[in-house]
Amino acid sequence: MHKNFKNIEKTVYGRGSFDMMDEILSAKRNENEQFFLFIVDNYFKDKPLASRIPAKSEDVIRFIDVDPCEPTTLQIDLLRDEILSSKGLPAGVVGIGGGSIMDIAKAVSLMFTNEGSSTLYQGLNLIKKPGIYHLGVPTISGTGAEISMTAVLTGPVKKLGLKCEWTVFNQVILDPELIASVPNDKWFYTGMDTYIHCIESENGILNNAYSHAYAEQSLKLCQEIYLGGQSGRTAENDDKLMVASLMGGMSLTYSEVGVCHALSYGLSKILGEKHCYANCLAFRCLEDYYHDGVNEFKQMLIKHAIQLPENISQHWTDEQITAMAEVAYNLPHMWNHAVGADWKQKISIETIKGLYRRL
Ligand code: NAD
Ligand code: ZN
């Protein structure tokens, strides 16, 4: 009945806190084969941050291009198998990047100790053993992947997280300096993931005083960052956005996401759209579910000159729309929260197809 959530064990926050990593890792280096696996967004390959990674000669650094697709089960299995066969079991995993890298680091940490393919563990509490130590350093803010107890993976059958207590990071380093280089459009889409998390968390039957307190504060920060007189790309707003992302994640952990995320999962699974962008595509068409939130979102679009494509559904076949509706329908926890326990009497595959046709 009641959620019993394991939080991040240790969190360091502040400008320049990235440089505490060496000290933090040194205490963990004596475990297993004593080396660390660093999984780093390819964006940083030739950037100054790469030279600040406190890697020793025995460590492995993998730069991963996250743009071709969201993390897959196959990608995790291959990475795990390759490291185990060439180097053995690491002392820990460090992920430096956005939600994609956070999820890869969390998933591979679990898969180092759980046999077989990660497809076996997509779902709630299917993981059998704790993973190895893992540390996350977000470099783009909004998804809340740094705090959540899930590592979202796309498999051959479903897009679903490895969700359990052991997924949560042992340590995160929140250094707002790292998000300054995010391009404007990604800054907007990923930040809006937080905004939408809060709106959805607030609007549903699972909302409660605990989730509300986090959503309220996170929404206030989002409004200052994206709408207020001081809005835009400033250092102060980067400081706020990192905290908003964390709090949005906390809010939905104690509540739930809703209609927008259900539609977004369909767009990602069937059309390969990225999570945060897909949310933005869906959210602006959901005025009847989230009236005030959608209106405010539209003001933010205008303020930051973000243009989303119009009438995209006219290019989709009925088969694609049906397939997306099936993905969305099969997320009962989201519909339950957003529409109510009797959601099946109100929402059918046809209803959801109608929602996709609005896009
Ligand atoms: P991302 O990790 O996919 O990265 C988006 C883009 O930003 C990439 O091109 C990346 O190279 C670039 N980038 C990242 N940091 C940068 C920086 N500092 N400067 C310049 N460019 C930078 O982005 P995301 O939106 O944070 O993550 C999306 C992923 O997160 C999806 O795979 C989604 O499924 C997942 N997700 C997970 C959870 C969770 O709870 N685990 C929640 C929501 C979404
Ligand atoms: Zn989201």
Side-chain angles (χ1 to χ4, degrees):
M1 279 301 288
H2 300 282
K3 294 190 179 186
N4 192 3
F5 178 60
K6 176 164 172 293
N7 213 321
I8 305 164
E9 280 164 31
K10 293 186 111 177
T11 304
V12 49
Y13 170 81
R15 299 192 154 257
S17 59
F18 184 85
D19 294 328
M20 284 180 67
M21 195 191 295
D22 194 21
E23 188 189 324
I24 290 169
L25 295 185
S26 64
K28 304 285 170 192
R29 280 194 179 271
N30 50 1
E31 285 168 28
N32 305 328
E33 306 282 336
Q34 315 202 342
F35 73 98
F36 265 88
L37 169 62
F38 292 86
I39 300 167
V40 187
D41 190 304
N42 205 45
Y43 168 82
F44 294 106
K45 195 163 188 178
D46 308 312
K47 304 291 187 299
L49 189 76
S51 58
R52 288 168 59 200
I53 297 171
K56 312 283 183 222
S57 57
E58 64 273 25
D59 294 344
V60 178
I61 303 188
R62 271 301 130 79
F63 289 96
I64 296 183
D65 182 359
V66 299
D67 286 332
C69 65
E70 295 192 334
T72 66
T73 51
L74 181 65
Q75 181 182 22
I76 300 301
D77 297 350
L78 291 175
L79 179 61
R80 182 254 333 251
D81 293 346
E82 187 221 312
I83 298 292
L84 281 182
S85 62
S86 61
K87 296 271 297 181
L89 188 64
V93 180
V94 177
I96 303 172
S100 303
I101 296 286
M102 295 297 101
D103 283 350
I104 294 172
K106 291 197 278 187
V108 82
S109 140
L110 294 169
M111 293 313 300
F112 271 124
T113 52
N114 287 274
E115 289 84 29
S117 168
S118 49
T119 54
L120 298 169
Y121 306 105
Q122 283 180 283
L124 179 62
N125 291 333
L126 300 178
I127 289 280
K128 306 265 185 298
K129 299 175 202 160
I132 61 171
Y133 177 86
H134 49 306
L135 183 158
V137 186
T139 63
I140 177 169
S141 288
T143 64
E146 65 277 20
I147 175 96
S148 78
M149 59 189 291
T150 184
V152 183
L153 298 180
T154 302
V157 185
K158 49 196 169 190
K159 177 182 170 180
L160 195 61
L162 312 184
K163 187 169 184 182
C164 71
E165 283 200 358
W166 298 314
T167 313
V168 183
F169 279 114
N170 298 97
Q171 168 92 52
V172 295
I173 297 178
L174 303 176
D175 184 343
E177 277 178 8
L178 306 185
I179 66 175
S181 56
V182 172
N184 260 343
D185 54 345
K186 292 173 184 172
W187 168 80
F188 186 85
Y189 301 138
T190 303
M192 283 302 110
D193 195 23
T194 280
Y195 182 77
I196 296 167
H197 287 160
C198 296
I199 297 290
E200 292 190 296
S201 168
E202 292 274 75
N203 289 282
I205 60 171
L206 298 177
N207 185 33
N208 57 71
Y210 194 102
S211 59
H212 168 65
Y214 284 108
E216 186 177 49
Q217 183 61 31
S218 178
L219 280 172
K220 181 172 165 282
L221 292 169
C222 288
Q223 283 152 354
E224 289 167 12
I225 299 160
Y226 289 100
L227 215 50
Q230 309 293 317
S231 69
R233 304 295 303 268
T234 64
E236 197 186 322
N237 283 339
D238 285 347
D239 291 353
K240 291 179 182 174
L241 186 54
M242 236 175 197
V243 178
S245 173
L246 197 82
M247 290 194 159
M250 290 290 281
S251 178
L252 74 88
T253 296
Y254 283 90
S255 175
E256 189 48 82
V257 288
V259 180
C260 181
H261 271 71
L263 298 185
S264 169
Y265 269 54
L267 288 164
S268 294
K269 177 73 186 143
I270 305 303
L271 301 180
E273 297 290 4
K274 295 292 178 68
H275 177 80
C276 302
Y277 181 64
N279 277 342
C280 290
L281 292 178
F283 192 60
R284 68 171 165 173
C285 302
L286 294 174
E287 222 165 349
D288 44 347
Y289 289 93
Y290 307 111
H291 183 267
D292 294 351
V294 172
N295 280 335
E296 194 164 62
F297 171 74
K298 286 180 179 170
Q299 290 174 42
M300 293 176 181
L301 282 172
I302 293 167
K303 176 122 195 162
H304 298 286
I306 300 287
Q307 280 178 334
L308 295 171
E310 304 282 342
N311 302 321
I312 46 176
S313 64
Q314 70 187 15
H315 305 296
W316 302 335
T317 64
D318 189 57
E319 273 156 13
Q320 284 175 313
I321 294 177
T322 306
M324 287 194 281
E326 280 165 359
V327 172
Y329 187 82
N330 284 315
L331 294 161
H333 48 294
M334 298 183 192
W335 297 105
N336 172 63
H337 169 60
V339 179
D342 60 347
W343 68 271
K344 282 194 175 171
Q345 283 150 35
K346 296 174 182 155
I347 303 290
S348 64
I349 296 279
E350 282 309 314
T351 324
I352 302 175
K353 286 173 74 173
L355 295 179
Y356 278 114
R357 287 205 179 90
R358 294 180 183 181
L359 269 64

